[in-house]
DNA sequence: TGCCGTTATTGAATTGGTGTCAATAGACTG
DNA sequence: CAGTCTATTGACACCAATTCAATAACGGCA
């Protein structure tokens, strides 16, 4: 068919192109439907080239997930200035909007990472931390929360809850406004922290 | 090797044997590592027989997940009697203990279902509902919570948080006792409900 | 402008697991 | 104890993952 002459790119360009395409395709299919065949076809290259760059399918999937996670992290960076609670709200808002906009792709990312191997889960965990730890890293005064094992556990739980809320809401927003959702998420953290025994 | 003569069982027996084995093997490997080859080998039957009973791998996986979910539901059934809050605590306790005991298998179930197709996710959702809806189904008076779209959303978020808490805690319980964990989970629901706007 | 070397890229062959199906052989029945 | 039903098998077709020796763009140099 497309008997075009082969195009030769620099390794960085090619690698980047393939990763971008991989992330983009996650909006249409799940991670494990993202086969070497499909990717090569869409990219207009041979399957062999993918192996040249990524070694095997798992490694390719890892690289794609990492790229997607980096996108997320970059777009939800909390502001450098402001009150802890205010920064929290800003960051959460960015997260909600990101998920709303990139819904299908985000779903593939989450499901793929959760169902995948340990490496995938680690990458995903890092992205989650970006949403939580960063906001409190500079909250050394403990305005919101003091750093204990229990507090860490609760914050982690809060992050899981937040993800579930946003995904569920985005799938069916009926009856709940974006502002209500944001309010619930932001107010939840102090409420949960208040529940810590001791 | 095992050149045993073939054994002929009734369809119900065989089916049940294969599902039990499938659930048991989830403690050792993930859902998609549970290949037809592995199962047939472990069961001492031919691959063809698995296809005879389940049609294809997906259907087999669904059946295994459903069986595992049924186990969970059965073992976390809330008591018929008692105050709503008390019943909640009992049910949550059963859930925590179930996860602690069947950790590896539960992980495979959760990851497999989350990463899988819609059918798998539905089965998994039902199991989650067993932990939440059942407790409140008879709470028609609204002692704990009134039934609104927002409340449903929050309860769903609470369930996701609970799962994350238990799994994370079980992986590394240092610094947090089982009783503290239970207290956090049980107290979280009223705390979260209190955060609902309006 | 045209040759040359480097290396990005290909495609054919191999491997491994999924799914199909006609043939085989337990167990029950008369 | 032969006959029937059907649980069970094993060989084969198929598709996706993976390997690797051969190929051909592109930049540099004459």
């Amino acid at each position: 068919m497309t008997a075009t002459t082969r195009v030769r790119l620099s390794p960085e360009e090619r690698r980047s192109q393939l990763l971008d395409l991989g992330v983009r395709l996650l909006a249409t299919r799940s991670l494990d439907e993202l086969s070497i065949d499909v990717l090569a076809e869409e990219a207009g290259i041979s399957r062999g080239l993918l192996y040249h760059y990524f070694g095997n399918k798992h490694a390719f999937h890892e690289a794609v997930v990492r790229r997607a996670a980096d996108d997320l992290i970059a777009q939800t960076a909390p502001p450098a200035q402001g009150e802890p609670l205010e920064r929290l709200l800003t960051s959460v808002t960015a997260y909600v909007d990101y998920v709303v906009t990139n819904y299908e792709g985000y779903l593939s990312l989450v499901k793929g990472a959760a169902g995948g191997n340990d490496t995938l889960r680690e990458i995903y965990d890092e992205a989650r931390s970006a949403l939580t730890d960063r906001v409190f890293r500079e909250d050394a005064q403990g305005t919101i929360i003091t750093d204990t094992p229990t507090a860490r556990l609760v914050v982690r739980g809060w992050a899981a809850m937040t993800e579930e809320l946003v995904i569920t809401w985005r799938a069916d927003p009926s009856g709940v406004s974006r502002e209500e959702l944001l309010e619930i998420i932001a107010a939840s953290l102090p409420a949960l922290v208040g529940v810590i025994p001791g």
Side-chain angles (χ1 to χ4, degrees), chain A residues 133-146:
Chain A
D133 293 5
R134 286 194 307 193
V135 174
F136 305 107
R137 185 174 305 143
E138 294 144 42
D139 181 33
Q141 313 93 304
T143 310
I144 295 180
I145 190 171
T146 32

Side-chain angles (χ1 to χ4, degrees), chain A residues 35-196:
Chain A
S35 67
I36 300 293
D37 276 331
V38 166
L39 203 287
E41 164 86 14
E42 293 280 337
I45 59 163
S46 68
R47 293 196 303 282
L49 194 57
L50 259 157
Y51 285 95
H52 175 68
Y53 279 105
F54 299 99
N56 59 41
K57 199 173 79 158
H58 276 105
F60 176 63
H61 281 174
E62 276 174 31
V64 168
V65 167
R66 183 165 280 124
R67 160 83 52 132
D70 286 346
D71 276 6
L72 169 63
I73 292 176
Q75 297 209 29
T76 59
Q81 306 278 330
E83 293 294 315
L85 266 177
E86 186 189 322
R87 288 188 292 151
L88 171 62
L89 185 60
T90 307
S91 185
V92 163
T93 304
Y95 171 71
V96 170
D97 291 341
Y98 181 89
V99 175
V100 168
T101 306
N102 303 80
Y103 183 59
E104 287 79 11
Y106 185 76
L107 260 191
S108 292
L109 169 70
V110 169
K111 307 301 185 192
N117 59 51
D118 292 325
T119 311
L120 281 183
R121 249 169 271 154
E122 263 178 49
I123 298 170
Y124 173 61
D125 259 15
E126 283 172 28
R128 240 192 202 173
S129 300
L131 187 70
T132 58
D133 293 5
R134 286 194 307 193
V135 174
F136 305 107
R137 185 174 305 143
E138 294 144 42
D139 181 33
Q141 313 93 304
T143 310
I144 295 180
I145 190 171
T146 32
D147 198 336
T148 65
T150 314
R152 292 233 158 231
L153 186 62
V154 168
V155 169
R156 199 184 166 96
W158 174 76
M161 184 198 73
T162 298
E163 182 176 284
E164 178 73 21
L165 289 180
V166 177
I167 288 177
T168 303
W169 177 77
R170 160 64 214 248
D172 173 23
S174 67
V176 182
S177 73
R178 172 172 170 280
E179 282 64 36
E180 282 172 335
L181 177 68
L182 286 169
E183 191 179 335
I184 290 171
I185 294 173
S188 289
L189 188 59
L192 288 173
V193 168
V195 136
I196 296 175

